[in-house]
Amino acid sequence: LLVFTNGSKIKFDVLDKAKNKITLVFSLDAVGKPAEYVRFGTNWQQVYDNYRRCLQYDNVDVRVNITQSVYNYEYLDKLLELFIDDWPTLVTFGMVYESHFNESVIPRKFRANIVAKLESIKTKLENADIETNQKHNAVNAIAATISNLTQIEFDQTNWDKLKDYVTKMDKVKGIDIRQYCPEVAQYIYS
């Protein structure tokens, strides 16, 4: 059985009774308040507690999928540090396809700080005791993001789309990105 989950609600009674292997793929994009913004309705502590508890089951194969976007480039280092000493069976990295969520929307003046964080976690990953293919996958995903942040030009049209999108979604959800992701809010409201 393969189940994709945001990790908010895990039926532990089912895991307790399961006789066959179950694969749980947690969709995790950030930690703390940024995680609660990216996947609105999430209680980060509950998700993290559920994730850690699932790791205790011998019959549960825990995996993680990370979707990279403007919402989490700033926070990828903290997320990956959660896994570095106890790497899940598989960590995959996805990318958003909408251009107003990619690296082009981040003004150049904010990119150096993000690149520095990503370079640091990339070095930690390179030196970590992680299965070779998983290590290469993670390092390559971070290296690609670093490359994009250093090479892709700022795109005002995409930035305008992002600002419009965030403003409308925050209004619908009754939240404010500045309370959850202040670093990302700087890109939008600077």
Side-chain angles (χ1 to χ4, degrees):
L1 180 62
L2 172 66
V3 178
F4 288 83
T5 179
N6 66 9
S8 292
K9 295 183 182 181
I10 303 292
K11 298 213 175 234
F12 289 102
D13 59 327
V14 172
L15 297 182
D16 290 333
K17 294 173 187 172
K19 295 181 180 165
N20 296 323
K21 189 162 203 107
I22 297 173
T23 300
L24 293 178
V25 181
F26 282 76
S27 297
L28 303 175
D29 303 315
V31 300
K33 296 295 273 181
E36 293 176 357
Y37 184 84
V38 174
R39 294 189 183 267
F40 182 68
T42 294
N43 174 317
W44 169 250
Q45 192 59 55
Q46 183 66 52
V47 168
Y48 186 64
D49 290 347
N50 288 344
Y51 169 81
R52 297 297 305 167
R53 187 171 169 190
C54 287
L55 290 174
Q56 305 307 310
Y57 285 84
D58 292 333
N59 65 323
V60 177
D61 179 23
V62 177
R63 300 177 180 189
V64 172
N65 182 65
I66 300 168
T67 302
Q68 294 186 77
S69 75
V70 66
Y71 290 131
N72 70 349
Y73 298 131
E74 187 77 47
Y75 312 113
L76 285 172
D77 61 327
K78 291 179 183 167
L79 179 62
L80 291 171
E81 283 181 4
L82 286 180
F83 308 131
I84 209 159
D85 291 328
D86 190 13
W87 200 258
T89 304
L90 181 69
V91 177
T92 56
F93 293 81
M95 298 295 292
V96 292
Y97 294 105
E98 295 91 347
S99 58
H100 60 282
F101 293 124
N102 72 23
E103 297 92 340
S104 71
V105 300
I106 302 172
R108 285 246 174 234
K109 68 182 180 180
F110 297 108
R111 294 185 188 189
N113 184 52
I114 300 169
V115 168
K117 288 180 180 184
L118 294 177
E119 288 285 1
S120 176
I121 195 64
K122 183 171 141 285
T123 300
K124 288 178 184 179
L125 288 166
E126 290 167 340
N127 295 314
D129 184 21
I130 300 171
E131 188 272 328
T132 302
N133 290 327
Q134 276 293 289
K135 181 185 292 196
H136 289 292
N137 182 51
V139 167
N140 289 340
I142 297 304
T145 300
I146 291 168
S147 176
N148 289 344
L149 285 165
T150 56
Q151 294 178 16
I152 292 176
E153 292 300 320
F154 174 73
D155 186 315
Q156 183 69 43
T157 302
N158 282 335
W159 182 86
D160 289 338
K161 285 182 190 176
L162 175 67
K163 183 175 182 178
D164 184 57
Y165 180 85
V166 168
T167 302
K168 287 178 180 176
M169 289 305 291
D170 281 5
K171 185 175 181 180
V172 167
K173 294 175 185 176
I175 61 175
D176 186 334
I177 193 170
R178 290 170 276 222
Q179 295 173 349
Y180 292 83
C181 307
E183 297 84 359
V184 178
Q186 288 180 12
Y187 318 152
I188 298 167
Y189 298 112
S190 65

